[in-house]
Amino acid sequence: MNRRYAIAAAAFAALLLAVTAAKILHVPVSYASWAAPSARAVEQRGPLSDGEKATIDIFERVSPSVVQVAVKSAASPLTGEEGQGGGASGTGFVWDREGHLVTNNHVVANGGEIAVRFASGEVAQVDLVGTAPNYDLAVLRIRSVRELPQPVALGSSNDLKVGQSAFAIGNPFGLDQSMTSGIISALKRRLPTHGGREIANVIQTDAAINPGNSGGPLLDSAGRLIGVTTAIISPSGSNAGIGFAVPVDVVNRIVPELIRNGRVPTPGIGIVAAGEDVSTRLGVEGVIVVRTAPGSPAERAGIRGVNFSTGAVGDIITAVEGKPVRRLSDLTDALEQAGAGKTVRLTVKRGSDSREVNIGIIDIERS
């Protein structure tokens, strides 16, 4: 009996020693065959929020109508990044069922063969219909007949509010079909263009916009077009939360003109105006006329520029149709809305006297 007890005790001690040694040496010990690894169960989530559903709906409706625009220069292949390799890449979107697409002028300004890639992956060659450098807009047309996605629905930009949601779809850095969201950060910004003028009432947004987004749609929470993304302010060249879009009310005025005529008039009255820095230094609110072009409507209406002999300021334009003019972009915007061939009433100040002058608007590029 004592001998059997001693043998059992020795066996238990040996087992205990083996387990202890395994732990010290980090040798795995299998305690049960039912502990074999297996895939974890998927945790079921609740329904998507209303905000998520709305954003998904915007992307699914609009993204098929957004294209990648690639331009080939004379000496380089189509590129994947904007401004590199001698070509350019940007974004565009379907404007109508006749095959017209809208993008930025600066995307296609350097010429060359243009192709677009749809969300489906299909590539199509396009022709350049017309450009409007003063608005950084261009219209393309697909060469071959195909079944186009739905044109992007149009909204309005005259009733936008700072703080409302904004969504951008485009091809940043060649990454097609990318969507970003944010808010409208500011309204009525002024943006210089390659045409040497300024676009008035530009939309500012913090929705991420990067190189390659140029020419893409900026949308409201209903998925309607409210602007065409055109530029960013960034020391690094990448998104810094300050992006700009040409307002849709301007786009809807310019694009039909480009489709009809391939260009848009540049409405003017034939003056050279002083810069805003000059007006600020002189404490003048309005547009200082430096000189008038010979034979121009301004000259015929008796508008007088600066007297270069004495340095005396001549006429200052302070209003158009009774609406105050504080800077040059106020004047050019009013002339553009009226259009070439129309007549407007200017309020002109000379010294302490003001008078009203009826003056015709001309297309200054053809006059």
Side-chain angles (χ1 to χ4, degrees):
M1 181 72 177
N2 289 338
R3 187 170 182 274
R4 285 199 299 270
Y5 177 79
I7 293 172
F12 178 77
L15 177 61
L16 182 62
L17 180 62
V19 171
T20 303
K23 289 183 177 179
I24 293 173
L25 297 174
H26 304 288
V27 177
V29 178
S30 177
Y31 293 98
S33 60
W34 47 263
S38 61
R40 294 185 59 190
V42 175
E43 185 75 20
Q44 297 299 314
R45 61 153 292 150
L48 295 171
S49 69
D50 290 342
E52 289 174 312
K53 291 177 182 177
T55 301
I56 292 169
D57 178 66
I58 291 172
F59 182 78
E60 291 181 345
R61 282 191 291 117
V62 179
S63 62
S65 303
V66 179
V67 301
Q68 185 174 15
V69 180
V71 183
K72 182 175 71 174
S73 71
S76 71
L78 295 177
T79 64
E81 291 190 38
E82 191 172 29
Q84 295 187 8
S89 177
T91 303
F93 57 91
V94 177
W95 177 261
D96 58 26
R97 293 197 175 277
E98 282 67 54
H100 293 107
L101 310 172
V102 172
T103 187
N104 279 150
N105 173 70
H106 77 259
V107 172
V108 299
N110 293 329
E113 185 179 350
I114 307 172
V116 299
R117 183 188 299 276
F118 287 85
S120 64
E122 181 180 354
V123 175
Q125 299 297 313
V126 297
D127 293 316
L128 181 62
V129 174
T131 62
N134 291 334
Y135 306 92
D136 198 16
L137 293 173
V139 173
L140 313 173
R141 191 174 192 278
I142 300 171
R143 291 178 186 172
S144 58
V145 178
R146 68 184 301 277
E147 186 175 350
L148 289 171
Q150 186 80 10
V152 178
L154 292 189
S156 175
S157 51
N158 67 1
D159 57 355
L160 296 177
K161 302 293 184 183
V162 172
Q164 75 178 75
S165 298
F167 303 85
I169 301 177
N171 307 285
F173 303 110
L175 301 172
D176 63 329
Q177 296 293 297
S178 297
M179 183 182 197
T180 58
S181 65
I183 61 170
I184 293 174
S185 304
L187 295 167
K188 298 184 179 180
R189 296 298 194 204
R190 292 175 295 134
L191 187 68
T193 67
H194 291 227
R197 290 162 75 98
E198 287 184 336
I199 308 173
N201 300 317
V202 169
I203 302 165
Q204 180 184 328
T205 180
D206 68 347
I209 296 173
N210 284 292
N213 276 111
S214 295
L218 186 69
L219 310 163
D220 64 11
S221 57
R224 304 180 308 162
L225 183 74
I226 56 173
V228 176
T229 55
T230 186
I232 60 173
I233 291 181
S234 170
S236 67
S238 298
N239 174 59
I242 303 177
F244 299 101
V246 182
V248 69
D249 292 351
V250 172
V251 177
N252 203 19
R253 187 175 79 236
I254 299 304
V255 169
E257 187 77 27
L258 289 178
I259 293 173
R260 283 192 300 267
N261 303 315
R263 63 178 298 275
V264 292
T266 303
I269 56 175
I271 65 168
V272 174
E276 287 185 28
D277 56 336
V278 175
S279 302
T280 301
R281 287 200 302 270
L282 295 177
V284 171
E285 189 173 278
V287 173
I288 298 175
V289 178
V290 175
R291 62 181 177 84
T292 59
S296 67
E299 184 188 57
R300 293 196 299 269
I303 302 294
R304 182 189 302 170
V306 173
N307 186 325
F308 290 101
S309 298
T310 63
V313 174
D315 287 334
I316 302 169
I317 300 172
T318 59
V320 178
E321 298 293 345
K323 185 177 179 179
V325 168
R326 296 183 174 86
R327 54 179 67 91
L328 181 59
S329 59
D330 295 335
L331 175 60
T332 57
D333 188 49
L335 298 180
E336 286 165 358
Q337 290 190 36
K342 301 296 178 62
T343 299
V344 291
R345 185 179 77 258
L346 303 184
T347 303
V348 180
K349 183 178 180 181
R350 183 182 297 172
S352 59
D353 299 327
S354 290
R355 72 187 193 282
E356 291 188 342
V357 177
N358 291 322
I359 191 166
I361 305 172
I362 59 172
D363 181 358
I364 58 176
E365 288 188 0
R366 289 188 168 179
S367 302

